[in-house]
Amino acid sequence: MAKTKQFKAESKKLLDMMINSIYTHKEIFLRELISNASDAMDKLYFMSLTDDNIKLNRDDFRIKIELDKAQRAITIADNGIGMSESELETNLGTIAKSGSFNFKQENEKQDDIDIIGQFGVGFYSAFMVSKKVIVESLKYGESTAHCWESEGADGYRMADCGKTDVGTKITLYIKDNTDEENFDEYLEQYTIQRIIKKYSDFIRYPIVMDWQSSRKVEGEENKWEDYVEEKTVNSMIPLWKKDKKDISKEDYENFYSDNFHDYNKPIKEIHYKVEGNATYNALLYIPENAPRDYYGRDFEKGLQLYSSGVLIMDKCADLLPDYFGFVKGLVDSEDLSLNISRELLQHDRQLKIIAANIEKKIKNELTKLLKENREDYEKFFKSFGLGLKFGLYNAFGTNRDVLEDLLMFVSSNEKKLVTLAEYVDRCSEMQENIYYACGETVDKIDMLPQTELAKEKGFEILYMTEPVDEFVAQILSEYKGKKFVNISGEDFDISTEDEKAQLNTLNEENKEMFDAMKEALGEKTADVRFTHKLRKHPVCLVSEGDISIEMQKVLNSLPNSQGVKAQLALEINKDHPIAEKLKDLYANDKETLAKYAEILYAQARLIEGLPIENPTELTDLICEVMVK
Ligand code: ADP
C-alpha cells in the first residue's frame, strides 16, 4: 500500500478523542455508519429518477451487515453512490466540513460526552470500537474502486482496489477487550440487531444480516442443525407513520438529530395527520437555536417531502413561508406523484393546500407554546423572532394576522419581553398609544432624554433595538386600536392642553431668538424651540416627518444608500438653566449665542448616537466658549 498520509490537525484531534473515548454510548458508531450509507443510497436513488442509465429500482437498495468473529470484523456495505478517490480523501481525511466546530477545552475528558452528544461525530465514531478501519468504494460512473485504510491517529493510506460493484463497504476490526470494557459484544448478532432496532429502525432501506440459527432436523429426533438465512433487521416503518402513543420523546429527539443535523434538542415537535382536502402526515420540529447561516442569503429553508413514504425532495421550499423557514421536518402525502418535477411541484394545487395548512398549524402551535410554556417561547423568539419581523416587513404587513401576535419586544417594565397583546391589555384605557423608543441597546434607550419623561408619566415603553423594529411599528401602525408612537417623534406629546398652550406662548415670545439660532445652524435643523418634555436633560433631537433618527441610521447603512436625512428639530428644555442663559445671550451677545446653538446641537446628536460631522471644529468651539 501507498505511504501513510497525515490527517488534518482538526481531524486528528477528533480522531484521538474517538480512539480514547470514554463515551458510554459507543454503540452509536453503527447508527452513524448506517445513516451515511442511507444518505449515499438516497443520492443514487435521486439520480436514478432522471438518469435512465441507472438500472436500480428503489427496492434494490440495501445495507448489508456481516460479522466475522474469527477476524473480529464487522462489515457494512451499501450500494449507494460511492466515493471517488478524492472524495475518500477529503471526506475521510478531513473532519466533516459541515460541522466545523471548535474544540473549546481540549484534552478534558469530561468534554467527550458533550462533543459527541452535540455533534454528529459521523464516520470517525468507528474508531471508538475499532483498531483498524478499511473503506472500499466504487463511485457510480467510475471504473476503478479505491480503498482507504487507517489504524487511527498515525494517518491513513490509500490505494486502488478490486471492488466491482458500485457502493461502499466499510470493514471495522474491533478492538480487543480491556479490563473495563467488553468489545466482543459488538461481534454478536443479537447486540448488532438490538443497536439497529434502537437507532436505525426507521431507515427506509432494508438493513440485512446473515442470521445464524439452528433448527431441528426433520425426521430425526434430538438432532439440530445450524443454518444461515438473510434477515431484514429494521422495520422500515418511518417514525411519522407510527402511532403517536408508541413514540417516546427520545425517539422524536433521536430522529431529529439524525435527520436534521442539529445536535441540540428541539424546543418542540409537531406530529400530526390531516385527512380531507389534502391528506398528509407531518412531523415538524421547532429548533432551539438558529443555524449559523439562518439570517444569511444562502440559507435554504424547506421540509423533506415524501410521497407515500418515499423521499422525493430533500428541501421543499414551497412548503414553508420564509418567516417560518426555521421549521425542520417532513411531510408525507399520498396525493403527490413520485416522479413530479420541481417545476411542476411548484404549481401543484395539492402542495399549495398542504403549505397553507402547515402555516396555520405552525402559527397555532407557536401560539400554544407562548401560552403554555413561556420560557421555551422566549428561547424560540430570541433565535427566530428577527425572522418573524422581517416577514412582516417584507410583505408590507399583508401577513399581520399570522405574525403580529407572535412578536415580542423588551418593555420598560422589568426589561422583559412582552407581546403586543400583553402591552395593550395592561395599559390604561386612557392611554391611546403604544409608546416605543429606538436605539442600539436597551441601556442606550434608557439614557434618551425622552425616555425619562415617558417613564415619569408612568407609561410603559417598548424598546426597539433591532434595526427592523421601527419599520415593523410603522407597517403595523396600530394594534388593537392603539397607535404606535415613537417617543423621539414629534407626535409624542403627553402634556395637557394647558401645558401645550403655555409652551406655544413661550415659543412665540422667543421666536426671534430661535430664528437666530436656526440661522446659525443652517440646514442642520428644521426647527429650534423650547420643550416641556425634558426633565434633567438640556436638549434633545426630535424627528419631524416620516423618517426617524433610527431609520435614517438604518437606511444610510444599506448599500447604495442615497444619504437619507431625517428632518430634525432641536428642542431645548424650557426649565433648564441653559434656557435663561440663551435668552441672556440673545439680548447681549448674539455671536456667542450662535456658538451655543452649535454646541447644543452637537450634544443632542451625541445623545442620539449620531455622528458629529466635524469633531475638531466642535472641540475648538467648546474651548473658545470655555475660556471666555
Ligand atoms: P457527515 O455524514 O456528518 O457529513 P461523516 O464523517 O459521517 O460526516 O461523513 C463524511 C462524508 O463522507 C459524508 O458527508 C459523505 O459525503 C461521505 N460518506 C461517508 N460514508 C459514505 C458512504 N457509505 N457512501 C458514500 N459517501 C459516504
Side-chain angles (χ1 to χ4, degrees):
M1 232 187 211
K3 81 177 202 346
T4 304
K5 301 187 188 191
Q6 295 302 310
F7 286 102
K8 295 256 161 62
E10 265 197 328
S11 313
K12 192 167 173 319
K13 277 185 217 160
L14 181 60
L15 205 58
D16 274 336
M17 199 151 51
M18 289 299 150
I19 293 164
N20 304 314
S21 160
I22 49 159
Y23 191 50
T24 39
H25 304 295
K26 289 190 173 172
E27 61 191 30
I28 57 128
F29 77 92
L30 193 57
R31 173 191 80 186
E32 299 290 318
L33 298 182
I34 288 175
S35 102
N36 281 350
S38 166
D39 289 348
M41 295 191 291
D42 277 346
K43 284 183 195 153
L44 192 58
Y45 170 69
F46 274 134
M47 276 174 75
S48 76
L49 295 177
T50 51
D51 181 346
D52 292 338
N53 293 323
I54 303 172
K55 299 281 180 248
L56 291 170
N57 286 319
R58 217 193 134 70
D59 300 339
D60 299 328
F61 290 100
R62 65 212 291 266
I63 297 169
K64 171 113 191 197
I65 297 185
E66 284 173 295
L67 303 176
D68 182 340
K69 278 192 187 168
Q71 299 282 333
R72 297 188 69 76
I74 308 179
T75 57
I76 298 131
D78 66 67
N79 51 350
I81 191 147
M83 281 177 274
S84 65
E85 185 176 16
S86 65
E87 283 171 334
L88 271 173
E89 178 132 21
T90 40
N91 290 343
L92 309 185
T94 327
I95 172 178
K97 297 133 265 158
S98 52
S100 70
F101 57 99
N102 299 322
F103 291 90
K104 273 187 240 128
Q105 300 138 305
E106 289 166 40
N107 307 326
E108 279 184 38
K109 281 275 181 204
Q110 82 223 36
D111 279 350
D112 265 22
I113 296 171
D114 269 334
I115 291 186
I116 296 174
Q118 276 170 19
F119 178 75
V121 286
F123 170 75
Y124 285 169
S125 58
F127 286 96
M128 292 197 291
V129 298
S130 318
K131 50 189 178 195
K132 173 167 158 184
V133 177
I134 299 180
V135 182
E136 295 158 88
S137 195
L138 177 61
K139 169 120 182 171
Y140 170 73
E142 297 195 352
S143 50
T144 315
H146 302 276
C147 166
W148 179 101
E149 183 183 313
S150 172
E151 271 139 50
D154 287 343
Y156 60 94
R157 289 176 296 278
M158 294 198 51
D160 290 354
C161 75
K163 185 171 171 30
T164 51
D165 46 338
V166 171
T168 302
K169 178 174 161 188
I170 299 180
T171 309
L172 311 179
Y173 291 93
I174 298 300
K175 286 182 182 179
D176 298 319
N177 286 347
T178 63
D179 289 347
E180 295 97 42
E181 273 184 288
N182 171 14
F183 289 101
D184 285 355
E185 61 169 337
Y186 297 117
L187 296 161
E188 298 295 336
Q189 61 180 9
Y190 285 102
T191 310
I192 296 299
Q193 172 179 250
R194 177 185 61 76
I195 300 175
I196 294 173
K197 281 255 161 228
K198 179 164 168 194
Y199 298 104
S200 312
D201 194 50
F202 51 81
I203 291 283
R204 296 179 286 280
Y205 304 99
I207 303 169
V208 297
M209 291 177 75
D210 289 329
W211 199 257
Q212 314 216 351
S213 324
S214 32
R215 64 187 162 205
K216 259 185 127 163
V217 179
E218 239 175 276
E220 291 196 45
E221 216 165 301
N222 290 335
K223 198 150 182 214
W224 291 74
E225 60 176 1
D226 291 337
Y227 74 102
V228 177
E229 78 184 343
E230 210 174 63
K231 166 173 168 178
T232 300
V233 184
N234 55 329
S235 75
M236 290 184 281
I237 298 178
L239 185 72
W240 63 93
K241 289 214 169 155
K242 289 188 182 166
D243 210 320
K244 266 170 118 162
K245 67 176 183 345
D246 298 330
I247 310 176
S248 68
K249 184 109 190 129
E250 206 188 350
D251 291 335
Y252 280 125
E253 288 172 358
N254 287 338
F255 185 81
Y256 175 74
S257 61
D258 286 349
N259 284 273
F260 303 108
H261 307 290
D262 178 358
Y263 296 93
N264 294 305
K265 290 189 167 60
I267 283 187
K268 187 181 176 106
E269 76 278 333
I270 307 168
H271 182 192
Y272 69 107
K273 194 169 161 179
V274 173
E275 276 168 38
N277 247 348
T279 299
Y280 69 96
N281 284 296
L283 175 53
L284 312 176
Y285 291 93
I286 297 172
E288 177 170 336
N289 299 309
R292 227 164 304 170
D293 60 346
Y294 185 63
Y295 292 106
R297 235 172 248 273
D298 297 330
F299 176 77
E300 281 181 73
K301 61 168 181 163
L303 299 176
Q304 289 183 340
L305 185 60
Y306 290 83
S307 158
S308 307
V310 178
L311 185 64
I312 55 173
M313 198 184 280
D314 197 35
K315 270 199 174 156
C316 182
D318 299 314
L319 284 170
L320 290 176
D322 284 345
Y323 44 85
F324 289 158
F326 53 83
V327 174
K328 302 215 167 129
L330 57 92
V331 168
D332 188 353
S333 171
E334 295 155 20
D335 302 341
L336 299 164
S337 126
L338 247 182
N339 294 318
I340 192 161
S341 72
R342 260 164 216 263
E343 292 72 38
L344 277 179
L345 195 59
Q346 274 182 4
H347 304 289
D348 192 87
R349 209 177 66 86
Q350 223 54 36
L351 193 78
K352 287 205 169 117
I353 299 175
I354 296 176
N357 241 303
I358 286 178
E359 176 176 353
K360 223 179 274 159
K361 182 73 180 178
I362 297 172
K363 149 102 200 228
N364 289 344
E365 291 294 325
L366 287 174
T367 309
K368 212 161 97 190
L369 187 68
L370 175 63
K371 258 197 223 129
E372 292 168 5
N373 191 339
R374 177 78 174 203
E375 203 180 314
D376 278 354
Y377 187 83
E378 289 190 9
K379 272 191 212 156
F380 152 77
F381 192 81
K382 282 176 187 149
S383 296
F384 301 108
L386 192 57
L388 301 183
K389 293 172 185 169
F390 276 116
L392 243 166
Y393 171 64
N394 290 336
F396 306 106
T398 48
N399 45 23
R400 65 182 299 157
D401 289 350
V402 184
L403 295 176
E404 64 185 358
D405 292 320
L406 298 175
L407 300 182
M408 294 187 120
F409 298 94
V410 177
S411 119
S412 54
N413 282 13
E414 301 182 69
K415 305 273 159 57
K416 282 189 184 148
L417 285 168
V418 293
T419 62
L420 295 174
E422 286 161 352
Y423 180 99
V424 167
D425 282 351
R426 69 186 180 208
C427 74
S428 83
E429 264 175 46
M430 304 289 285
Q431 186 181 327
E432 287 169 9
N433 302 314
I434 298 173
Y435 294 110
Y436 68 89
C438 304
E440 268 164 63
T441 61
V442 167
D443 286 343
K444 283 196 181 168
I445 295 175
D446 254 342
M447 284 186 282
L448 285 178
Q450 297 91 327
T451 311
E452 225 189 336
L453 173 70
K455 278 196 190 165
E456 198 181 283
K457 294 256 179 184
F459 292 135
E460 182 173 359
I461 308 165
L462 299 178
Y463 290 61
M464 304 208 160
T465 50
E466 302 285 357
V468 70
D469 284 344
E470 192 174 9
F471 294 89
V472 168
Q474 287 219 342
I475 277 173
L476 288 178
S477 160
E478 52 86 34
Y479 179 84
K480 296 209 173 143
K482 296 203 191 285
K483 258 182 69 184
F484 281 91
V485 169
N486 185 344
I487 62 168
S488 293
E490 58 180 340
D491 293 347
F492 177 64
D493 195 346
I494 41 188
S495 44
T496 62
E497 290 307 316
D498 261 5
E499 286 168 332
K500 279 182 201 166
Q502 271 174 23
L503 183 67
N504 270 341
T505 323
L506 185 66
N507 276 328
E508 278 304 315
E509 283 166 13
N510 292 283
K511 189 170 176 310
E512 277 140 37
M513 172 182 83
F514 289 130
D515 284 345
M517 291 175 78
K518 232 159 65 181
E519 203 185 310
L521 290 169
E523 301 223 307
K524 292 176 193 153
T525 54
D527 200 14
V528 181
R529 60 188 175 235
F530 281 134
T531 179
H532 49 217
K533 286 187 222 163
L534 295 173
R535 286 296 173 268
K536 290 199 295 284
H537 295 273
V539 284
C540 70
L541 282 179
V542 168
S543 56
E544 302 194 308
D546 288 339
I547 299 178
S548 73
I549 297 170
E550 284 306 310
M551 284 170 114
Q552 170 186 324
K553 285 187 210 162
V554 176
L555 293 172
N556 288 340
S557 69
L558 299 177
N560 311 326
S561 94
Q562 317 256 313
V564 176
K565 274 212 164 116
Q567 296 267 341
L568 298 178
L570 176 64
E571 292 197 336
I572 299 159
N573 184 347
K574 74 173 174 59
D575 300 320
H576 194 281
I578 196 71
E580 287 312 312
K581 177 77 186 172
L582 290 175
K583 285 183 208 164
D584 179 44
L585 287 174
Y586 179 65
N588 304 312
D589 183 356
K590 300 223 169 44
E591 204 182 312
T592 309
L593 178 70
K595 290 178 186 159
Y596 270 57
E598 288 280 4
I599 295 173
L600 288 174
Y601 171 73
Q603 285 180 343
R605 283 185 74 88
L606 283 173
I607 295 173
E608 287 292 349
L610 291 170
I612 299 295
E613 279 142 29
N614 196 335
T616 31
E617 222 170 73
L618 175 69
T619 46
D620 287 351
L621 197 63
I622 294 175
C623 272
E624 235 182 280
V625 173
M626 282 166 90
V627 294
K628 227 176 164 172

